[in-house]
Each structure stands twice: as structure tokens, then as C-alpha cells.
Amino acid sequence: MSRGSFVFSSTALRSLEMDEDMLERNKYKKQLSSHHFNSYMLKKEVRERARLRPSTALPVAVCHDVVIQNALYTGDLEAIQQLFPRGATASLIIEPQGGDMRWVATGEGLWSLSYEQELTTPLQITAGRGFVDCLRLLLQRGADVDLAPGGITALHESCENCHTECTKLLLVHGANANAVSEDGLMPLHDCSRPESFGCAKNLLQYGAAINGRTVDENDTPLHVAARNGLPDHVELYLRYGAAVDKKNDQGLTPLNAACSQPQELGDLQRYFKVCQMLLGAGANVHTMDQDKQSPLHMACKNVNADIVDLLLDNGAGVNEMNYGGETPMHNILKVVCYKVPYQPERIVRALLNHGSIRLWPGALPTVLKHCSESPRTIEVLLNDYSQLKVTDTWVESVSSEVFKQHQGFYESVFSLERTPRSLQHLARCKVRKFLEGRPLHEVIPKLDLPTFIKNYLLLEYRGYVH
């Protein structure tokens, strides 16, 4: 052994291997604080840093003046012109009075209830409220464009509040497009609403990192846009070279993020367009998160029928199981009762026509109990069986209110206790059984049969079972 060297013990080697991921993360955090990415002052450090500035530099003043604060918060340009004349500094720390109460440690294990103070600057106030003229004046008066006493810059504020003109003005005056906030976000990560598209476009034109990661979750801007259902942002980011299959700390790609986000009825088409763009850019339809949930699992859980059709058309595995042993069919059936207006029957029908494994017949009464408010879902499920053992348990599984609302349908179901399935239905089951193993949604439309028979074979809704 040469001098100046030593032997690692086996314990030390194992420890080094276990710390590899942590070292990589720390390396990334150091990169964020390099000359490419600014780290900003925390609230406690503001006054200390001001005291440490060289005597030739003007210290950053802390302002408690209510008149100045009122002028800034109301966007009173005339008052701001008087309060910040030529030669006056506009680089101020604003410490508003009041706010929410919180417990603060005072030392020696004691805590006191005091007002939470949010440090801010004139630029942050005006940029966050869209006061373009006031912001321009302050910048002309030499305000520090990247000053961030509260942990965020004015650029973060303007992007979060979707003020395109303010964002552009700040960037023109040298704002750092890759500034990292106290929460580990860059301004591009704050573009999370449809109205922020102009901000995102300006940021990218001024050098924002298209694949920059958040410190806590490792999200890229594409993750943020996909999760919030922003098709215009997604298209823009892909055009700028966004990585389509990057995973965050939860194992989610942008496609997974879009599919897993709960969606209101009015937002379904936006999320569909996002997924369409991601798949068109080559997103992997089989990528699973930490719980082995595929995009199809997630789309079924959120009952977006258009996305389910899209994923299935792009080769999604209809019978892939998550860590709990559940397939996409399990996910959709668990939420039918909460999502009846979302047309869950479309998803159940699509899954069956793409080869989903059928439910164990003994579980049908339980499914009937939880999904009875969607008779079309029940119809599709039952029409995939050639025979059913209908008992009193089935009748008890449907509440009297639901029965009255859909009486004709449930009478047809309960009548199967005394009547066998029709010959027409048995023929349908025979054909589907014969074609088992092949994609029914592709094979059946090619058969030389009338359209109404093809639709019947593909479990078209009729409002009754027979």
C-alpha cells in the first residue's frame, strides 16, 4: 500500500453505495446555486447581508412607511412618482404590518404567538399585481430586479399571477429567468395556469431552462404544464426541446402526471389534448410510477374516457397490475358511483373490447351495489357473460330510489333469475369467445356484417339486458 492511502472497510463501502443517490442530489443542488442559478436571501438574512455590504454600496433599506405601501399596493403611479423621485433608491425591503398569527420560537424552549411578516419589495408588489407603469418607473429608478427578501423574486410573482407585460419588462431589465425561489421553483414552474402562456413564452425567449427541475419534487416545467392540463404550454415546451419522459421523485413522467391529476368535467378535453401531444412526441405509454400505476390506471381512476381510448389505441396494457394487484378495470369500477356524468360505461366497454379480464361472477352483486347508479355500466358488464346466476342478493343490492329511477332496466336484469339469456345474446358471446385473444375493437369492424350487428358485438348500449 502506498503512503498516503488507506483501506476502506466493507461497512464504509456499503455506506458509500447507499449514499450515492444523496450525493447526486446534493450535486444538483450545488449546481442550482452556481453562477447559472442564483440562490436568494431568506427572511432572517436580509438585515445581516445589508450590514455586511461594503461601505461603497448603498444598504438595502427596510421600509415601514404605510403611505409608500398603500401607493404600491394600489398601483398609484402619481404617488409613486412623488415618493420615488429621480436619484432616490427604489431597492427597498417592505415589511407589511399585520398578517396571520403563528407560533414563533423565542429561545430556551419558549414560543410566542406573533404576526407572520412577509418581506417583499416594491418590484414584487407591483409585478405581482400587474401594475406595469409603476413597475417600469421603479426599474428606471434603479430597483434591484433580482432582490428576493421573502425568498421569491419579482419575476416569480409576475409569472405566478400571469402578468405577461410585467414578466417581459423584468426580463428586459435583466431579471434572471432561472432564479430559484426559497421553495426551489424557477419562474417557469410558476406558469401553472392557461393565462400564464405569455409569461412562459417570454421566459424561454430569455433563456429559461426548459428542463430545469424543482428542488423538492424534481418536476420539470413540462410536468407542471401536464399536471395542470395546459396544452398550449405543452406544445411550446416540446417545441423548445422539453424531455418528454423525464421522471420526478414520485416516478411520474409528464404523461403520468396528466393522467393522474383529478379533472373537472370542463377540463377533460384540455387534459386529452395534453396527452395527445405527449404521445405524439413519443411519450412511453407503459411507464409506471412508484406504485406501478400506469397512465391507463390513472386515466381510469379519473374517468377520462377520451384519454383511455387514446392510451388503448397507443398500446397501453389493459391487464397490467399495480402493486395492489389491481388492473385498470378495478380502478374504474371503484369510482363509477362518483363519476356517473363522466360516462364511465365508455371506459368499461373500451376495456372489455380491448381484452380486459372479466370480473369473477361472484363479485357482480358487490359491483351492482356500488355501480347501480350507472345502469349502462352494469349493462356492459353483464353482456360479457353468456349466463348469470341472478339471486335475491342482486335485488337487495339496488336501492329502491335507484330502482325507481331506472325501473325498466333493472326489471330486465332481475327477470334473468327465471329466464335464460336470449339466443341472440348467446350468439354474441360465442362470436366474442371465438375471437378471444385478438383485438375485438379492430377485428369486429372488419367483419362482413351489417353495422348494427357489429355494434351489438361490441357491446353497444340498449337500455336493457336479455
Side-chain angles (χ1 to χ4, degrees):
M1 183 185 304
S2 63
R3 293 181 62 186
S5 64
F6 59 92
V7 178
F8 280 106
S9 67
S10 59
T11 303
L13 286 172
R14 282 197 301 272
S15 178
L16 287 172
E17 291 174 359
M18 292 175 64
D19 289 344
E20 185 177 359
D21 289 340
M22 185 180 295
L23 291 171
E24 285 296 322
R25 188 65 180 274
N26 288 336
K27 179 181 177 181
Y28 176 71
K29 287 183 178 179
K30 287 179 181 178
Q31 289 174 345
L32 288 179
S33 60
S34 71
H35 68 279
H36 294 295
F37 303 103
N38 288 350
S39 62
Y40 290 97
M41 297 181 291
L42 300 178
K43 296 174 186 177
K44 280 180 67 177
E45 298 174 334
V46 175
R47 295 181 182 84
E48 295 175 8
R49 293 196 179 192
R51 286 197 298 268
L52 293 174
R53 287 172 181 256
S55 57
T56 56
L58 291 173
V60 179
V62 178
C63 174
H64 296 283
D65 193 322
V66 177
V67 174
I68 292 178
Q69 293 181 25
N70 286 341
L72 291 169
Y73 280 107
T74 58
D76 189 339
L77 180 60
E78 185 177 345
I80 292 174
Q81 285 174 330
Q82 295 175 357
L83 293 167
F84 295 93
R86 292 187 183 277
T89 179
S91 292
L92 300 175
I93 304 297
I94 305 294
E95 189 174 12
Q97 299 301 309
D100 296 329
M101 299 289 286
R102 67 172 178 176
W103 289 100
V104 179
T106 59
E108 300 181 0
L110 299 177
W111 293 73
S112 66
L113 191 62
S114 61
Y115 284 105
E116 180 179 2
Q117 304 297 334
E118 290 291 341
L119 300 179
T120 184
T121 69
L123 286 190
Q124 287 175 250
I125 295 171
T126 52
R129 285 158 179 76
F131 301 145
V132 181
D133 293 334
C134 297
L135 180 65
R136 183 180 292 107
L137 175 70
L138 293 169
L139 288 168
Q140 290 171 350
R141 296 294 186 266
D144 185 344
V145 74
D146 284 329
L147 185 61
I152 59 174
T153 68
L155 190 57
H156 286 94
E157 289 277 11
S158 66
C159 292
E160 183 179 355
N161 292 286
C162 311
H163 297 308
T164 301
E165 289 303 316
C166 290
T167 297
K168 184 174 182 178
L169 188 59
L170 290 165
L171 290 166
V172 167
H173 281 79
N176 184 358
N178 292 312
V180 181
S181 72
E182 181 180 318
D183 295 325
L185 305 178
M186 298 177 192
L188 206 52
H189 296 121
D190 283 323
C191 296
S192 57
R193 289 188 282 163
E195 298 82 7
S196 67
F197 176 75
C199 295
K201 190 174 180 179
N202 283 320
L203 286 168
L204 290 169
Q205 288 173 348
Y206 280 82
I210 188 60
N211 291 314
R213 302 292 196 103
T214 62
V215 173
D216 289 342
E217 299 293 337
N218 251 344
D219 280 336
T220 66
L222 191 58
H223 279 96
V224 175
R227 184 179 297 115
N228 289 283
L230 306 177
D232 291 337
H233 291 64
V234 169
E235 182 182 25
L236 176 68
Y237 296 164
L238 291 174
R239 197 163 66 241
Y240 270 80
V244 75
D245 275 332
K246 285 282 187 182
K247 288 187 176 184
N248 65 10
D249 284 348
Q250 294 177 319
L252 298 174
T253 65
L255 179 62
N256 294 78
C259 293
S260 64
Q261 187 68 16
Q263 301 157 23
E264 297 295 330
L265 263 175
D267 297 331
L268 296 181
Q269 274 304 302
R270 288 199 294 118
Y271 281 92
F272 169 71
K273 289 179 182 177
V274 165
C275 293
Q276 200 173 34
M277 290 175 185
L278 293 172
L279 289 168
N284 188 346
V285 76
H286 300 291
T287 304
M288 296 185 172
D289 67 4
Q290 294 174 337
D291 297 322
K292 292 194 69 176
Q293 296 268 11
S294 69
L296 186 58
H297 279 96
M298 299 167 180
C300 288
K301 184 177 181 180
N302 287 312
V303 198
N304 192 320
D306 288 332
I307 292 180
V308 169
D309 288 338
L310 180 67
L311 294 171
L312 290 171
D313 289 342
N314 280 271
V318 73
N319 289 315
E320 289 179 339
M321 293 186 180
N322 60 19
Y323 272 134
E326 295 179 326
T327 65
M329 181 66 84
H330 288 92
N331 275 12
I332 178 62
L333 293 180
K334 286 192 292 186
V335 297
V336 166
C337 59
Y338 308 109
K339 300 277 191 174
V340 174
Y342 288 64
Q343 298 180 302
E345 66 274 6
R346 280 184 56 194
I347 295 178
V348 174
R349 181 185 177 194
L351 293 176
L352 290 172
N353 286 332
H354 279 77
S356 175
I357 297 173
R358 292 185 305 178
L359 296 176
W360 173 56
L364 287 175
T366 302
V367 173
L368 185 62
K369 179 178 180 180
H370 292 288
C371 302
S372 59
E373 291 183 41
S374 175
R376 281 190 166 187
T377 299
I378 301 300
E379 178 185 348
V380 172
L381 284 171
L382 299 185
N383 281 339
D384 204 36
Y385 297 85
S386 58
Q387 42 188 321
L388 296 167
K389 188 177 181 181
V390 178
T391 64
D392 290 341
T393 306
W394 288 49
V395 179
E396 295 166 359
S397 298
V398 180
S399 68
S400 57
E401 293 82 3
V402 173
F403 180 81
K404 288 178 183 177
Q405 190 177 358
H406 307 286
Q407 185 171 348
F409 172 76
Y410 283 111
E411 283 179 347
S412 73
V413 173
F414 300 150
S415 69
L416 296 178
E417 183 180 7
R418 304 175 299 277
T419 311
R421 302 303 298 264
S422 70
L423 182 60
Q424 186 183 29
H425 172 71
L426 294 175
R428 169 168 59 184
C429 291
K430 194 69 174 178
V431 172
R432 289 177 65 89
K433 181 70 175 176
F434 178 77
L435 297 174
E436 197 170 55
R438 282 172 276 187
L440 298 179
H441 66 288
E442 293 180 2
V443 175
I444 290 177
K446 295 177 182 178
L447 297 177
D448 188 16
L449 294 170
T451 301
F452 76 93
I453 294 181
K454 293 178 186 178
N455 292 337
Y456 182 74
L457 290 172
L458 289 171
L459 307 178
E460 185 183 48
Y461 322 113
R462 293 197 166 190
Y464 60 90
V465 296
H466 60 106

